[in-house]
Amino acid sequence: MARAARSRTPHTGTPKAPPLPPLRTRLDGGPHRPVHSALGLMAVTVLGAWLGLLLLGTLHVPVGPMDTAMALRPSLAGGTRINVSPLGDLELRSHHAPIRLDVDVDRLDPARSQALVDHPERFAGLQAEVTRDVTRGALGLALHSCVAVVSGATALGLAVYRRPRRALAAGGLALTVLAACAGTAYATWNPQSVLEPKFSGLLSSAPSVVGNARNIVSEFDVYQKELARLVTNVTKLYDATSTLPAYQPDPTTLRVLHVSDIHLNPASWQIIASLVKQYRINVIVDTGDTMDHGSAAENHFLDPVSTLGAPYVWVRGNHDSRTTQKYLAGRKHVTVLDNGRVARVAGVRIAGVGDPQFTPDRSVVAAGDPAERTAGGRLADALRTERLAGTPVDIALAHNPAAATEADGLVPLTLAGHVHHRENTTLPQGTRLMVEGSTGGGGLRAVQNDKPAPVQASVLYLDRRTKRLQAWDEITLGGLGLSRAEVSRHLPRENQPGATPARSRPPHPSGPASGPASPPVSPSSSKP
C-alpha cells in the first residue's frame, strides 16, 4: 500500500525538460542556415548552367555558303567574338551582360558554294539570305541554350542534393538567370558595334591596312576610287615637275602595264583602270596570283578585267586554279597564255606559261623550283620554235622568276611576279627580267607584316617598230589605307644620255637595270 501511495504522490523534484524538436540539417551535417543554403543553390546553379553551355550549348548553323558554330559563354564583359580561323578573332562590344556570343566560322560548304557559282543570280539575294540565316540561328541558339542550362543545372543539382525538388529548383533558377542575362543583353544591344571592332591574331593589323572599320562598312567604294584618283594625281604632278628630257614617250610609243599578285584585292581594279586611262595603256599584262584560293566561288571577282579599257593578257600563278584559268579564258578582251602559247596583242608578240603548281591544294606536295624550271623549259622551246620560224617573240611571261629565267637569250624581255617585291636584272644571255611587286598589296597576306605591303605596278614604254624597251615608270602606293605615292622613271643603260645607240636588229638588252633617272615624287597627302 505504501508503494501504491508513493506512486500517487506527486513528484516534487526537478521537473524533466520536454524533448527538443530535431534540428534540420544540411547535407554536411551542420545546422540549416537559409543564406548559406541559397548561396549554395546559386553556386550549384551557375556551375551547372556553365557546364551545360560548355557541353551542350554549341549549335551548328549554316549561314549562306558557310558553316558556323554558335554558342553562349559566361563572360564579365559580354560582347560578341567571331573566330575566322586561321586569320584570328574579331571582337564586338555588341552588348553588356554576363554572357558572350561566340561564332566560329568553320568552313565554306562546297555544295552551297557550287550552287552560287551555278546560279549567279543568287548573289543578289545573298545578303537577305545571310540575314535570315543569322536570325534563325540566333533564335535556335536561344532555345538550345535554355535546354543546355536547365539540363546542366538540374543534373548537377541532383548529383549534389540527391533530391529531385532541389534539383528542379536549380534548373528553374538557371533558366531565370539565363533569361535575365538575355534581357540585359537586349537592353544594352549596340548595333553600331560592328563599326568599331577589335582585331586579334593576323587580323590585328587590319585597321592600319584598310583604315577604320567605319570606312570599310560604309565607304569602301569611295576608298577604292580615292586610291585610283591618288595615282592619277601623282602622275600628273610627276609630269608637271619632271626635268628629264632624255626620254619623252611620243604618241606612237607602245605602253604596257605590268601588274601581278592582286590576291583578291578589289581596290586593284580601280587603280588599274585609272592607270590605263592616265597612261593611255595599250595592253595590260598580269603575271598571275590574281586569286587567293582559286575556288570557283572567287571567279566573279575577275569580271572587271573586261572593262578596264585595254586588252588583258594573263598567265596562271600558283594561287590560280585551272578553274580560274578556264573562267578567264571566256571573258571578253582577255588573252590567257599557257604552255608557251604565243599571241599578238596590240602589235606585241607575247608568249607565256602558267605556273605548274597550285599551292592552296594541301593534298599535293609542292614540287618547288624543279617544276618551275620544267615549265620554263616548255616556254623556252616555244620561243625557239618561233624564232626559227622568223616570228620572234617580244615578251615572255611566267609567274615564278625561276621559270622566267629559262627564257634567257631567247627573248629581249621577260616578266614575272610571285615574290611580292620588285626585281630588275639582266640575265647572263642578255634577256632583261622584270619582276613586279604585288598590285594588290599582298591581299590578305599584307596583314602578316608590321607595315602594310605596298601596291605596285609598272608602265613599260616600247618602241613601236622594234618593240624594244625604251623606259619604264614604277608606280608605288605606300600600302593599303595609306596615302603616300611614288612615281619614278627609269631608263635602260643603252638608252641613257651618252650611251651607244642600241642596234635596231633583234637584240638582247645589255647592262644592269638602272636606278631612278630622277628623284621619285613622294607626296604625303592624298590630294597632291
Side-chain angles (χ1 to χ4, degrees), residues 77-80 92-97 99-101 184-185 188-190:
T80 300
L92 308 176
R93 295 180 178 177
S94 56
H95 61 276
H96 298 283
I99 198 164
R100 184 185 73 221
L101 172 62
T184 304
T188 60
W189 184 255
N190 176 24

Side-chain angles (χ1 to χ4, degrees), residues 126-348:
L126 185 59
Q127 182 176 355
E129 179 186 348
V130 169
T131 300
R132 289 194 301 270
D133 289 343
V134 170
T135 302
R136 189 183 303 114
L139 293 175
L141 179 63
L143 294 175
H144 196 78
S145 298
C146 289
V147 174
V149 299
V150 170
S151 301
T154 301
L156 186 60
L158 190 62
V160 172
Y161 296 110
R162 302 183 185 277
R163 290 158 55 188
R165 292 181 61 184
R166 200 72 168 167
L168 290 176
L173 183 58
L175 186 60
T176 303
V177 170
L178 181 62
C181 292
T184 304
Y186 180 80
T188 60
W189 184 255
N190 176 24
Q192 300 300 316
S193 62
V194 70
L195 301 180
E196 298 177 354
K198 177 183 178 183
F199 301 94
S200 61
L202 290 179
L203 292 177
S204 59
S205 298
S208 66
V209 174
V210 290
N212 62 59
R214 187 180 302 275
N215 290 339
I216 301 172
V217 174
S218 60
E219 300 178 5
F220 187 71
D221 184 59
V222 175
Y223 168 71
Q224 296 183 71
K225 293 177 181 178
E226 285 300 304
L227 282 178
R229 189 177 64 83
L230 172 64
V231 174
T232 299
N233 288 350
V234 170
T235 302
K236 290 179 179 178
L237 180 62
Y238 174 80
D239 288 341
T241 59
S242 176
T243 58
L244 176 65
Y247 177 79
Q248 291 292 337
D250 60 56
T252 66
T253 302
L254 288 172
R255 300 155 193 252
V256 178
L257 176 61
H258 183 198
V259 301
S260 191
D261 296 85
I262 291 174
H263 283 291
L264 287 180
N265 182 359
S268 299
W269 301 130
Q270 294 280 357
I271 295 171
I272 292 172
S274 176
L275 290 172
V276 168
K277 182 178 180 180
Q278 180 65 25
Y279 283 87
R280 302 189 299 277
I281 296 297
N282 299 104
V283 58
I284 305 166
V285 170
D286 185 344
T287 46
D289 271 8
T290 314
M291 311 297 261
D292 210 37
H293 297 92
S295 65
E298 297 172 324
N299 282 347
H300 289 283
F301 170 77
L302 300 167
D303 291 349
V305 299
S306 300
T307 62
L308 295 175
Y312 200 90
V313 180
W314 182 87
V315 291
R316 186 179 66 252
N318 61 294
H319 281 265
D320 304 316
S321 66
R322 300 280 180 173
T323 301
T324 302
Q325 179 166 310
K326 182 179 179 181
Y327 184 82
L328 259 179
R331 307 297 301 170
K332 292 182 179 179
H333 312 304
V334 177
T335 300
V336 174
L337 300 180
D338 195 7
N339 296 316
R341 179 195 168 196
V342 180
R344 187 180 183 89
V345 183
V348 183

Side-chain angles (χ1 to χ4, degrees), residues 381-459:
D381 290 341
L383 297 175
R384 291 188 187 95
T385 300
E386 293 295 322
R387 190 170 63 175
L388 290 173
T391 54
V393 172
D394 302 310
I395 302 176
L397 309 180
H399 175 67
N400 195 309
T405 56
E406 297 298 313
D408 186 19
L410 299 171
V411 67
L413 178 64
T414 182
L415 307 179
H418 184 63
V419 296
H420 291 201
H421 63 266
R422 286 193 181 103
E423 296 179 1
N424 196 323
T425 58
T426 300
L427 300 176
Q429 299 298 318
T431 293
R432 182 182 295 275
L433 171 60
M434 302 184 74
V435 180
E436 189 55 80
S438 173
T439 311
L444 287 177
R445 286 154 185 76
V447 304
Q448 297 179 13
N449 304 318
D450 294 336
K451 294 182 180 180
V455 175
Q456 298 180 323
S458 297
V459 176

